[in-house]
């Protein structure tokens, strides 16, 4: 019972990392396989840019995403959304651990093969 209580408390605390407006999660995570940086800002934007040049590739915000969801569970907190412009669904999961790793799964509309990576915080 104590373990369940602790897990519920951790899940509630972790939910603060992913507020609906993304105000609780700020920082940049790097996807080295694609020379890509994913930057979560307090103003509710998620910006995808090239690591090597800093060039902005895409700005995910209220006007460009659909079906935005925040879920907290025993494995961590997950942000998921769909972007019609990129024709992909995205899922970012921050596990309940002391590290800052962020797991990302990208589900393109045109294939059944998803892209999955664990990104390190810069």
């Amino acid at each position: 019972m104590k373990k369940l209580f602790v897990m519920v408390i951790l899940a509630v605390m972790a939910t603060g990392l992913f507020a609906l407006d993304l105000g609780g999660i700020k920082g940049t995570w790097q996807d080295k396989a694609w020379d890509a940086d994913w930057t979560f800002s307090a103003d509710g934007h998620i910006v995808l840019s090239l690591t090597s040049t800093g060039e902005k590739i895409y700005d995910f915000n209220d006007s460009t995403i659909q079906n935005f969801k925040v879920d907290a569970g025993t494995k961590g907190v997950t942000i998921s959304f769909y972007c019609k412009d990129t024709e992909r669904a995205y899922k970012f999961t921050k596990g309940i651990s002391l590290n800052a790793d962020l797991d990302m799964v990208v589900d393109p509309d045109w294939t059944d093969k998803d892209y999955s990576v664990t990104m390190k915080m810069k």
Side-chain angles (χ1 to χ4, degrees):
M1 186 66 168
K2 285 183 183 181
K3 285 184 181 182
L4 178 61
F5 180 73
V6 170
M7 291 304 292
V8 169
I9 295 297
L10 288 174
V12 170
M13 289 172 56
T15 303
L17 294 174
F18 291 96
L20 186 60
D21 64 0
L22 299 179
I25 182 170
K26 293 182 280 184
T28 300
W29 283 263
Q30 185 177 22
D31 179 354
K32 291 184 178 185
W34 287 95
D35 184 38
D37 284 347
W38 289 86
T39 302
F40 293 74
S41 62
D43 64 2
H45 290 246
I46 303 170
V47 176
L48 174 61
S49 59
L50 290 175
T51 303
S52 56
T53 65
E55 176 187 353
K56 185 190 299 185
I57 297 169
Y58 198 81
D59 182 356
F60 299 90
N61 58 61
D62 288 340
S63 66
T64 61
I65 63 175
Q66 304 167 357
N67 302 326
F68 183 87
K69 294 179 187 169
V70 178
D71 295 308
T74 58
K75 294 184 179 184
V77 177
T78 300
I79 293 175
S80 60
F81 59 87
Y82 178 78
C83 179
K84 185 176 179 179
D85 292 346
T86 64
E87 300 177 332
R88 294 169 176 89
Y90 299 87
K91 181 167 67 170
F92 299 90
T93 302
K94 171 63 178 100
I96 298 176
S97 66
L98 296 178
N99 69 41
D101 294 354
L102 191 64
D103 295 325
M104 177 179 69
V105 177
V106 180
D107 179 9
D109 290 348
W110 61 88
T111 181
D112 291 335
K113 186 170 172 97
D114 294 348
Y115 174 70
S116 179
V117 66
T118 296
M119 300 185 292
K120 298 288 183 189
M121 187 174 205
K122 285 182 79 174

